[in-house]
Amino acid sequence: MIWVLLFISSIVQAQEGIKEIESLRSGTLPNGFQYFIKDVENPVAKTTMRLYIKAGFDHEDSLQQQMSHLIEHLAFKPTLHTPTSIKDEAFLDRLGMNFRDIGGTTSNLHTRYLFDAPPNHPKAFQTGLAWFKDIAMRLPLTSEHINQEKGSVWQELISGNQDYQDYYKAERNLEAQLFPFRQSYDRLSHHIQNFSHKELRRFYKDWYRPDLMAIVVVGNLNDMQETEKLIQDTFSDIPRPQASYPHIDIHSAQQKRSPQFKTQVWEKGFDPEKKEEVEYHWYIRQPELVNSLHTREGYKRYIAFQLLSRVLHQRLKEANAPALIGSAKNKDTYSYGGNPFSLALYFTTFPSKSKEAFQQIAIPLLQLKEQGVKEQEWKKIKEDYIKESLQSEVFYWNEELRDYWLKNEVLFPNKQKVFHQWVQELSIEKMNAYLQQFLSSPPKDIGIIAPQGNKALNFTEEEIRAWIEEAYRGPVPMYQPPKVVKSLYNEIQKEELPLVAYTTKAPAIPETREIVLSNGIQVVLKPYQPTPGVGEQSIKISGFSLRGAACYSSSDYYSALNATDLVTHQGVGGINAKEIQSLMDYAEIMNCRSYIDYKESSLQAEGNLKHTEEILQLLSLYFQPVNPQDIDFDAWQKEALETRKSQKNIQEDFRNAIRKVVQDSAIPPSFNFRYLKGEQAILSIGKTEEKRSLEIYQHVFGKPEQWTFLITGNFKTEDVIPLLQRYLGNIKPTVQKLRCTPTRQKTFKASGPVRKEILSNTPMENGMYDASYYQEQKGKNSWKETLELRVLGQVIQRQLNRLRYEKGFSVYNFGGYGRYDPEVKRYRLYFQVACHPKELYPIQKEIQFIVKELRAGEIPKEYLKQAKQSIKRRYKVPYLKQHRQLHELLFQHLRYEEAWVPLEKYETFIDNIEMEDIVRLSKKYLKEKNKIEVIMSDEAL
């Protein structure tokens, strides 16, 4: 009863504290339009403006599917106050803005429009208000614009789900069966191409009304009274329809429904090896929570629900559930996904093991219900919740004001501080009382997704609910908390590791220190205060060796590239994977990973500064001799295949196809890390030989003198060097002296024009097109030419915008890029477009026309200005001093022995790029002999 009593104190309405919030103005106009204006104390770069419409996917009827999304797109077409469209970059530039300052999103519950104006810029602020008013009452919605954008909407939908489109459709269709207001995706493609424009205009007329709208403005507002008056004057004359609107409340509608049991056939597109697998969706409803979020006590219940979800997430990861394929997952559907308020559980198994799987999933739920959360995990769950909920001031107020208006969530002065304090003081007894109450009955709503012909589709509702009831009546084993590993060495073992000698080298980079440990490992230390942001309080460590797959025969290529994944699959250095994960959790180590690529190998870690010692302990394990008895090759193959199939990506297949055409063996880095991706990653498993993988791993990690480490962060050098002496300095060589004789790789030289058509093994609804112009590096890489090339890529991007915004092609993903690849010492200028196959040829012709314009110097001056500004944002000193950025810059300097450029020089050079430089570069690169075209689709074009 402790927890129940906690929540029966006096009910406080959401409105109780909003008027007491300092520097906040709010109001409702006579037509129902609402506004919220919040002045923030700390200086901010933008005044954020958000227009919200209480209309989204849930408000569409059967004839209007995706109409809310399409209307969001149409807001970026020309309107009364933005006659060249809000996406006209020259127009934005005159306001001191760029593309990243505007946007729109559509969700189940609402549609959101964004406009981030420079502070103290009345013209920009008024333009944002005018654009919002155009959206609110007079979007043109012409048939020409609708026809142009409907293809882009479809391209957007398939761009993120093309690899899993059939599964995605099955998942959406299951939701349409389980939940109110959801619609089947069976005929979505046909619908988008053939819907009546009248239905779109009807949706706009019905739902874009002032009493379903609100504006939120957050920033440094010098005159809030004037801001309020501008908003009132702008939106007061929007007419309010006479008719009322239907109230759409998915939570209440679901609460009124009886427990659901639905099956959904996954009709095609599934892996034949997965035909016998079945996926279960299981929901514990909590719709009544929505009705109390306007009170402080109700919001506390919601926080408790979030904490429960976090505890369960960790318990499911730990659970011993052999009947499952992989591990079970859970989700708070209110915060993520927009489905009716519930705790969702998802797991995959086989029909023959389904009963056992339900029983094994029930155990963590029942353990929490009957035995509660444990002291140590409770402490960590609370700490993580508080830490992860800390946000910037602007982000916090945008989120809070949105949820106050949209979801009727309570809002009052110092809300976050009050609730954080409440979480800190929340006792384990009260939480356990809540767990007992919440988990008192099993999940009620059940969904099944299984391939055509799967036996699980024949299970009856009575059969499955009987399994669940039996599981809840069965004995509940005592929960055994996993062992917490706080160090890989005890104090005696630490003392046995001597502080080895080191020598100091003259640093090549200002404000760094370089040392060489007695075993030959070189270390470059860069202590500095990173720009505030992600990684500000972390330490980053990256090591590399110039030994890679190129040192071995071509038949060993995949054995080399998969070696680190195989060796570390079940642990490393004699420590098992669970213990390593426990240490990483305890020491707040965000990642520790390694790779072997074609011409290099790397070992990287990042974590909390105060746990630098534990990070170095972990890194040292990778250099220990490999014990073949610790390797389970079959288990690695099975798990790697499962994981990589779940991560397949058509875009990566396209990139791999381009690399194959130009004979690149190196994997391009992603955030400074290299790993196999797409279909290539899957196929590589069958081409990996266990013995050779282990030998290659030992060769690469067995010679410490071949390694260089870079360490960055806000640390004291004198604190870190002794740790390096102890943990890296005591690494012993485990192999005899080895020579690396690189495999002779055929040098690629563009001898275009070349056109290659690639057939995809995955069904595609669009085609992917790449037109690249390559040039080999002559002499040393010029950082100046690289920057010029990046600016030219941005000029191309602006010219490609005409494909969508002028020519009306159904494109969503397209771009122009300029890059230098230090791995192969080659420059590349390229165009990329994803489009409907029937539009490929005219798009190619348009790109050819753009090339002629570039070579002739027929480039609008504003394009160059905008391109320079876009690139310059990434080369401003504060940006370059962000932890990830500076670490990668230093790594590239060390890895490729490139000249170190003082950070301030980049921006100065970009400022001085002129139109003649762009024309010169265009003439140099955009030649037919440099051109390689690659097209990928699922049928010959």
Side-chain angles (χ1 to χ4, degrees):
M1 291 298 291
I2 296 173
W3 188 268
V4 177
L5 291 172
L6 182 66
F7 291 122
I8 60 174
S9 58
S10 59
I11 300 300
V12 186
Q13 297 300 314
Q15 290 77 13
E16 53 105 5
I18 190 169
K19 295 189 181 301
E20 300 169 15
I21 296 174
E22 188 177 347
S23 303
L24 173 67
R25 290 196 178 209
S26 63
T28 303
L29 303 179
N31 57 9
F33 187 97
Q34 291 184 263
Y35 62 86
F36 303 89
I37 308 164
K38 182 69 178 79
D39 178 46
V40 295
E41 184 176 346
N42 297 317
V44 294
K46 299 285 183 180
T47 299
T48 63
M49 306 167 65
R50 305 285 183 265
L51 176 68
Y52 293 101
I53 318 291
K54 262 184 202 174
F57 300 127
D58 283 349
H59 301 78
E60 299 165 345
D61 65 28
S62 60
L63 299 176
Q64 297 174 327
Q65 198 171 9
Q66 288 291 320
M67 294 301 98
S68 56
H69 186 187
L70 183 48
I71 289 170
E72 176 233 305
H73 274 236
L74 292 169
F76 296 88
K77 289 293 187 180
T79 69
L80 177 66
H81 289 97
T82 58
T84 57
S85 112
I86 197 67
K87 284 205 168 184
D88 180 345
E89 200 167 2
F91 173 71
L92 290 172
D93 184 54
R94 291 192 293 271
L95 300 175
M97 297 172 62
N98 58 67
F99 274 150
R100 297 191 303 175
D101 294 325
I102 57 171
T105 58
T106 309
S107 70
N108 291 319
L109 294 175
H110 71 281
T111 305
R112 178 183 66 164
Y113 299 93
L114 304 83
F115 190 96
D116 292 344
N120 304 315
H121 197 306
K123 176 65 174 173
F125 187 81
Q126 290 167 16
T127 299
L129 294 180
W131 180 52
F132 285 173
K133 185 171 184 178
D134 288 346
I135 293 169
M137 67 177 291
R138 49 190 171 216
L139 277 182
L141 303 183
T142 66
S143 290
E144 178 187 4
H145 290 169
I146 294 170
N147 288 329
Q148 286 175 348
E149 281 304 307
K150 66 182 183 182
S152 297
V153 165
W154 181 245
Q155 284 291 321
E156 180 185 355
L157 287 171
I158 65 174
S159 66
N161 301 299
Q162 195 157 202
D163 299 275
Y164 311 97
Q165 193 166 331
D166 295 307
Y167 170 77
Y168 180 76
K169 186 177 82 169
E171 191 176 42
R172 297 286 81 77
N173 286 351
L174 178 63
E175 289 184 356
Q177 293 189 74
L178 286 170
F179 308 127
F181 310 121
R182 297 289 186 266
Q183 297 193 52
S184 167
Y185 271 44
D186 279 339
R187 292 178 55 78
L188 182 59
S189 175
H190 179 270
H191 166 73
I192 287 178
Q193 296 304 319
N194 298 283
F195 69 88
S196 166
H197 294 186
K198 291 181 180 178
E199 294 302 326
L200 179 140
R201 296 179 184 120
R202 178 168 66 86
F203 183 91
Y204 180 76
K205 181 181 177 182
D206 288 347
W207 296 105
Y208 274 59
R209 45 189 290 160
D211 48 351
L212 291 176
M213 296 179 180
I215 186 173
V216 175
V217 178
V218 180
N220 300 137
L221 306 169
N222 296 330
D223 191 339
M224 292 186 68
Q225 185 174 344
E226 176 62 21
T227 301
E228 184 176 31
K229 185 176 185 304
L230 281 170
I231 290 173
Q232 291 171 341
D233 291 346
T234 302
F235 298 102
S236 291
D237 63 346
I238 301 176
R240 180 174 186 167
Q242 295 294 318
S244 61
Y245 57 85
H247 185 59
I248 304 295
D249 184 348
I250 191 170
H251 307 287
S252 297
Q254 181 73 353
Q255 191 174 12
K256 295 172 184 175
R257 303 174 94 188
S258 60
Q260 299 292 297
F261 176 85
K262 302 294 180 182
T263 59
Q264 176 61 49
V265 177
W266 183 357
E267 296 178 348
K268 60 178 182 176
F270 49 83
D271 185 340
E273 295 181 12
K274 291 176 172 284
K275 188 175 181 180
E276 299 305 317
E277 296 180 7
V278 54
E279 181 177 295
Y280 290 98
H281 295 210
W282 206 13
Y283 300 88
I284 303 177
R285 293 188 192 181
Q286 274 294 293
E288 63 273 12
L289 262 181
V290 176
N291 300 325
S292 62
L293 288 173
H294 63 290
T295 71
R296 294 196 191 201
E297 304 308 325
Y299 200 84
K300 287 176 183 177
R301 292 177 78 98
Y302 174 49
I303 293 175
F305 174 78
Q306 292 175 291
L307 296 171
L308 179 157
S309 184
R310 285 168 174 262
V311 173
L312 182 60
H313 173 76
Q314 188 60 36
R315 291 286 186 96
L316 290 173
K317 278 175 62 178
E318 299 167 5
N320 178 24
L324 270 61
I325 299 169
S327 58
K329 296 177 175 58
N330 67 290
K331 184 169 71 174
D332 158 13
T333 62
Y334 178 74
S335 301
Y336 308 100
N339 284 328
F341 206 141
S342 60
L343 179 66
L345 296 99
Y346 311 95
F347 60 94
T348 303
T349 185
F350 296 102
S352 60
K353 294 187 176 181
S354 291
K355 179 179 179 179
E356 189 180 351
F358 273 100
Q359 291 171 337
Q360 291 172 1
I361 289 297
I363 288 173
L365 296 172
L366 293 169
Q367 285 175 331
L368 284 172
K369 171 180 174 282
E370 296 179 13
Q371 302 163 21
V373 65
K374 302 304 178 185
E375 195 70 51
Q376 193 59 40
E377 68 177 331
W378 179 231
K379 180 182 176 183
K380 187 172 188 328
I381 288 291
K382 294 200 295 182
E383 288 175 352
D384 289 348
Y385 172 82
I386 291 171
K387 183 165 50 177
E388 292 171 23
S389 62
L390 294 173
Q391 304 156 328
S392 72
E393 192 177 12
V394 170
F395 185 86
Y396 170 80
W397 283 111
N398 270 311
E399 296 283 296
E400 287 295 327
L401 291 168
R402 177 202 66 190
D403 291 342
Y404 168 80
W405 176 76
L406 183 68
K407 302 177 180 179
N408 197 31
E409 291 185 6
V410 67
L411 185 58
F412 54 88
N414 300 311
K415 172 183 171 180
Q416 187 176 72
K417 183 178 179 181
V418 168
F419 284 138
H420 280 182
Q421 183 66 33
W422 180 79
V423 169
Q424 287 175 337
E425 296 172 356
L426 182 56
S427 70
I428 194 169
E429 292 80 13
K430 288 180 179 177
M431 186 62 192
N432 285 339
Y434 174 69
L435 290 170
Q436 188 174 22
Q437 177 191 16
F438 184 92
L439 298 171
S440 58
S441 59
K444 299 295 187 192
D445 298 319
I446 303 168
I448 300 174
I449 298 178
Q452 186 83 48
N454 190 290
K455 293 179 181 178
L457 296 171
N458 298 322
F459 291 147
T460 65
E461 179 176 2
E462 293 75 16
E463 192 174 4
I464 291 181
R465 292 200 187 280
W467 298 343
I468 296 170
E469 288 178 15
E470 183 180 338
Y472 268 67
R473 289 195 305 267
V476 181
M478 287 299 297
Y479 170 68
Q480 299 297 326
K483 176 186 174 184
V484 177
V485 178
K486 298 183 178 181
S487 176
L488 297 177
Y489 296 80
N490 60 39
E491 292 305 316
I492 295 175
Q493 290 171 324
K494 290 180 186 179
E495 291 301 321
E496 291 174 350
L497 293 174
L499 298 184
V500 304
Y502 67 89
T503 57
T504 302
K505 291 176 62 178
I509 306 170
E511 300 177 344
T512 63
R513 186 168 179 187
E514 296 190 26
I515 66 171
V516 181
L517 298 169
S518 60
N519 58 4
I521 289 179
Q522 299 185 62
V523 185
V524 178
L525 300 105
K526 171 66 175 177
Y528 85 109
Q529 176 59 62
T531 301
V534 177
E536 177 187 0
Q537 298 301 323
S538 69
I539 186 167
K540 291 176 73 74
I541 304 176
S542 294
F544 68 89
S545 163
L546 298 184
R547 192 177 190 92
C551 295
Y552 308 95
S553 71
S554 57
S555 62
D556 289 330
Y557 179 72
Y558 288 121
S559 294
L561 266 63
N562 280 322
T564 58
D565 195 42
L566 169 61
V567 170
T568 62
H569 171 242
Q570 292 186 311
V572 65
I575 309 296
N576 69 51
K578 283 192 174 181
E579 289 178 300
I580 289 173
Q581 188 58 56
S582 177
L583 175 73
M584 292 179 67
D585 290 342
Y586 165 76
E588 301 176 66
I589 301 173
M590 286 171 268
N591 63 64
C592 186
R593 54 192 186 175
S594 57
Y595 68 78
I596 296 175
D597 192 44
Y598 191 62
K599 291 184 179 179
E600 71 179 48
S601 299
S602 184
L603 174 59
Q604 305 172 6
E606 180 178 6
N608 192 306
L609 268 170
K610 68 182 180 181
H611 290 294
T612 300
E613 181 170 9
E614 289 80 8
I615 296 172
L616 289 169
Q617 289 176 358
L618 185 52
L619 291 175
S620 70
L621 293 181
Y622 286 75
F623 295 91
Q624 303 304 312
V626 177
N627 183 355
Q629 301 298 318
D630 293 336
I631 306 299
D632 187 336
F633 187 71
D634 292 339
W636 169 76
Q637 279 190 314
K638 182 179 179 181
E639 189 171 319
L641 191 63
E642 183 78 22
T643 300
R644 296 180 188 188
K645 282 183 176 180
S646 71
Q647 295 171 345
K648 66 179 182 176
N649 186 304
I650 285 180
Q651 185 64 49
E652 294 299 341
D653 290 342
F654 186 46
R655 294 188 182 109
N656 289 338
I658 295 168
R659 286 197 304 111
K660 187 174 181 179
V661 170
V662 297
Q663 300 166 3
D664 282 357
S665 295
I667 307 298
S670 175
F671 297 107
N672 216 38
F673 191 75
R674 300 171 187 263
Y675 59 98
L676 290 162
K677 307 179 190 76
E679 191 77 17
Q680 184 186 25
I682 297 169
L683 296 175
S684 74
I685 296 170
K687 297 180 179 181
T688 298
E689 203 276 316
E690 179 182 5
K691 184 178 178 182
R692 282 302 287 152
S693 270
L694 301 188
E695 289 174 347
I696 290 168
Y697 182 95
Q698 198 68 71
H699 291 169
V700 171
F701 288 88
K703 296 291 289 181
E705 70 270 22
Q706 294 178 347
W707 283 80
T708 299
F709 280 86
L710 168 68
I711 304 178
T712 59
N714 190 18
F715 57 83
K716 292 180 180 179
T717 302
E718 59 268 27
D719 292 339
V720 174
I721 287 181
L723 298 175
L724 295 170
Q725 293 173 275
R726 173 163 283 140
Y727 297 111
L728 296 191
N730 281 288
I731 294 171
K732 302 291 191 294
T734 58
V735 292
Q736 298 299 317
K737 188 172 182 180
L738 295 167
R739 292 182 61 191
C740 174
T741 307
T743 305
R744 286 197 171 187
Q745 184 183 14
K746 208 174 191 182
T747 303
F748 169 80
K749 288 189 178 180
S751 54
V754 173
R755 175 187 170 102
K756 295 285 185 180
E757 292 189 12
I758 310 295
L759 286 177
S760 169
N761 293 325
T762 302
M764 299 175 62
E765 294 210 24
N766 63 5
M768 293 181 175
Y769 173 70
D770 178 280
S772 291
Y773 295 80
Y774 295 94
Q775 279 226 352
E776 301 303 310
Q777 171 192 325
K778 295 177 181 178
K780 288 191 174 183
N781 169 41
S782 167
W783 62 272
K784 294 181 179 180
E785 180 147 346
T786 299
L787 284 180
E788 289 177 332
L789 207 60
R790 296 197 72 179
V791 170
L792 177 52
Q794 285 295 304
V795 170
I796 291 172
Q797 174 68 58
R798 279 142 187 83
Q799 290 181 303
L800 284 175
N801 284 337
R802 74 171 70 154
L803 297 178
R804 178 176 174 185
Y805 299 110
E806 293 179 25
K807 303 297 181 179
F809 288 110
S810 300
V811 292
Y812 185 78
N813 289 324
F814 57 91
Y817 311 91
R819 296 283 189 271
Y820 169 69
D821 185 346
E823 193 77 27
V824 293
K825 301 186 184 306
R826 185 168 60 216
Y827 297 97
R828 177 186 177 198
L829 188 65
Y830 58 111
F831 305 72
Q832 278 192 354
V833 181
C835 64
H836 193 283
K838 71 180 182 182
E839 293 186 333
L840 178 59
Y841 180 72
I843 285 175
Q844 286 178 287
K845 300 297 288 183
E846 192 64 36
I847 288 175
Q848 290 172 11
F849 186 65
I850 289 173
V851 169
K852 289 180 181 178
E853 289 180 330
L854 289 165
R855 288 179 55 83
E858 297 171 2
I859 306 166
K861 290 181 179 178
E862 61 266 26
Y863 282 11
L864 176 57
K865 180 182 177 183
Q866 295 156 8
K868 286 165 63 175
Q869 289 175 337
S870 177
I871 295 299
K872 196 164 66 172
R873 281 195 294 271
R874 301 169 221 173
Y875 284 93
K876 289 183 177 293
V877 172
Y879 181 83
L880 292 175
K881 283 192 172 183
Q882 289 180 4
H883 203 170
R884 181 170 66 85
Q885 304 301 329
L886 187 62
H887 190 88
E888 289 185 13
L889 205 60
L890 289 163
F891 185 89
Q892 182 158 319
H893 161 77
L894 295 169
R895 164 65 180 88
Y896 299 107
E897 299 179 345
E898 295 183 353
W900 179 254
V901 181
L903 301 184
E904 63 275 3
K905 281 195 172 185
Y906 290 112
E907 188 176 358
T908 301
F909 179 77
I910 294 169
D911 280 334
N912 291 323
I913 295 176
E914 302 290 346
M915 185 65 77
E916 51 263 34
D917 299 314
I918 297 301
V919 176
R920 167 181 52 78
L921 216 60
S922 298
K923 289 179 178 179
K924 177 180 177 180
Y925 283 88
L926 297 174
K927 298 175 181 177
E928 286 294 291
K929 69 176 185 178
N930 296 335
K931 182 179 179 181
I932 308 290
E933 292 178 288
V934 179
I935 302 163
M936 190 170 81
S937 68
D938 62 358
E939 59 183 26
L941 297 176

